[in-house]
Amino acid sequence: MQTISTIDGLREIRREWQLAGKSIGFVPTMGNLHAGHLSLVEAAKEHADIVVVSIFVNPLQFGADEDLDNYPRTLEADSEHLSKLGVDVLFTPSVEAIYPRGLEQQTFVEVPGISYMICGASRPGHFRGVATIVSKLFNMVQPNSAFFGEKDYQQVQVIKAMVTDLSMNLSVHAIPTMRHNDGLAMSSRNGYLTEDERQIAPMIYQTIIRIREQIESGRRDFNQLINTENTLLAQSGFKPDYIEIRDAFTLQPASFEGKELVILIAAFLGKTRLIDNIQVTL
Ligand code: PAF
């Protein structure tokens, strides 16, 4: 595996692949890799001749009250995992390379509507930061396919909308969430949980499973269902941010007749904000 940290270096090797007629699969990450990320790499390997993984902790998607400086940076261990998996290039650009004119002057990509609801309402500017960095990375890597975790369901919908709106020439793949044995979705943020918090964290997953069962058995009083589950979470020590039942494609509030739904949840446990989701097909 080659590690490249300059955009010119990446473009040079990209030209060679192009001349050799190779297809490129891309997995953008912020590092601190876990089995969920590695499953994205496996999927990319199945789809493409060459696999590029980027590690870049993107300051543009962190809010002022979010802890950018303490985001876990574990480059050595990440690099070892990726090398073992047979990744071709690890791209590790610096903040200066990515944002040469500074964050304030950066041209940005905004996907209206879908970026402002749910997580976007709780984290204003977050999806603008994600869309901007992902479009920049797409311009650098020029992949044929890109791979994202379904755990960040709204992020995937934002990126798909951006790719359509900007006529980008690549396919976007959403890979199912990897879970621990107790159901907790794998996430870099789980590392922030104390031992006690880690014990109760799987309640997030139990909550969405319970909601799915209720919907599948015919319940359509969504607001009542959400209120009950919010109360249960709060009683167990969470500070719920939202529980939402939405149309799986538009992310608009689910109608009673909706057949393809997604249940999304975000809740704080201590200082850690956990998210999860599950789809329901009726
Ligand atoms: O999901 C992530 O890790 C990040 O949001 C992404 C897509 C790498 C953009 O910084």
Side-chain angles (χ1 to χ4, degrees):
M1 183 180 77
Q2 240 180 296
T3 302
I4 297 178
S5 57
T6 65
I7 299 170
D8 284 349
L10 181 70
R11 290 206 162 125
E12 208 175 297
I13 194 164
R14 171 74 183 77
R15 248 190 316 272
E16 287 169 25
W17 295 331
Q18 189 170 12
L19 287 174
K22 305 273 192 201
S23 62
I24 299 167
F26 178 42
V27 182
T29 81
M30 298 209 297
N32 195 230
L33 305 180
H34 50 69
H37 294 110
L38 304 184
S39 72
L40 305 185
V41 173
E42 295 290 6
K45 279 177 67 179
E46 275 171 29
H47 273 83
D49 302 321
I50 297 283
V51 175
V52 178
V53 175
S54 63
I55 295 184
F56 178 69
V57 181
N58 176 33
L60 208 59
Q61 69 188 74
F62 284 76
D65 57 345
E66 295 175 353
D67 208 355
L68 168 66
D69 291 340
N70 284 328
Y71 194 86
R73 288 158 172 92
T74 53
L75 186 57
E76 208 174 307
D78 292 347
S79 169
E80 215 168 286
H81 286 311
L82 296 173
S83 171
K84 276 191 193 139
L85 276 183
V87 165
D88 296 276
V89 164
L90 169 59
F91 181 47
T92 56
S94 64
V95 173
E96 293 71 30
I98 293 286
Y99 298 118
R101 299 196 309 128
L103 295 185
E104 296 305 319
Q105 305 296 320
Q106 175 62 43
T107 302
F108 60 80
V109 176
E110 181 133 4
V111 183
I114 201 161
S115 294
Y116 308 144
M117 55 175 77
I118 322 176
C119 264
S122 307
R123 304 179 69 190
H126 170 68
F127 287 118
R128 171 198 288 187
V130 170
T132 301
I133 187 60
V134 171
S135 64
K136 283 170 72 77
L137 291 166
F138 283 175
N139 282 337
M140 294 169 201
V141 178
Q142 296 180 36
N144 302 92
S145 49
F147 299 80
F148 296 87
E150 232 167 36
K151 195 194 120 238
D152 296 304
Y153 191 89
Q154 190 176 1
Q155 169 170 282
V156 175
Q157 305 311 312
V158 168
I159 290 165
K160 283 185 173 171
M162 175 186 82
V163 165
T164 302
D165 288 356
L166 298 182
S167 313
M168 292 175 166
N169 189 18
L170 77 158
S171 56
V172 173
H173 301 257
I175 307 301
T177 304
M178 295 277 285
R179 299 184 180 280
H180 294 281
N181 288 340
D182 58 9
L184 180 66
M186 290 191 186
S187 165
S188 302
R189 285 166 190 253
N190 295 348
Y192 296 138
L193 298 171
T194 64
E195 246 173 65
D196 287 348
E197 289 167 351
R198 177 63 188 81
Q199 293 299 311
I200 61 168
M203 281 194 65
I204 294 259
Y205 183 57
Q206 290 153 15
T207 301
I208 49 176
I209 290 290
R210 213 165 30 238
I211 296 174
R212 182 171 72 178
E213 282 167 2
Q214 297 279 316
I215 296 174
E216 282 173 343
S217 63
R219 261 188 89 169
R220 291 294 178 272
D221 54 339
F222 295 148
N223 288 342
Q224 178 65 41
L225 189 50
I226 287 170
N227 284 343
T228 307
E229 293 296 339
N230 264 325
T231 307
L232 286 175
L233 275 181
Q235 282 168 352
S236 310
F238 289 85
K239 190 166 159 267
D241 183 356
Y242 61 73
I243 300 177
E244 297 283 351
I245 302 169
R246 299 273 173 143
D247 177 276
F249 301 108
T250 63
L251 291 187
Q252 291 297 326
S255 67
F256 290 164
E257 307 78 39
K259 296 276 177 246
E260 299 276 351
L261 308 181
V262 58
I263 304 157
L264 304 118
I265 187 165
F268 285 90
L269 203 44
K271 291 193 174 128
T272 311
R273 186 171 182 275
L274 299 173
I275 60 170
D276 204 347
N277 68 82
I278 202 166
Q279 290 177 62
V280 194
T281 302
L282 298 166

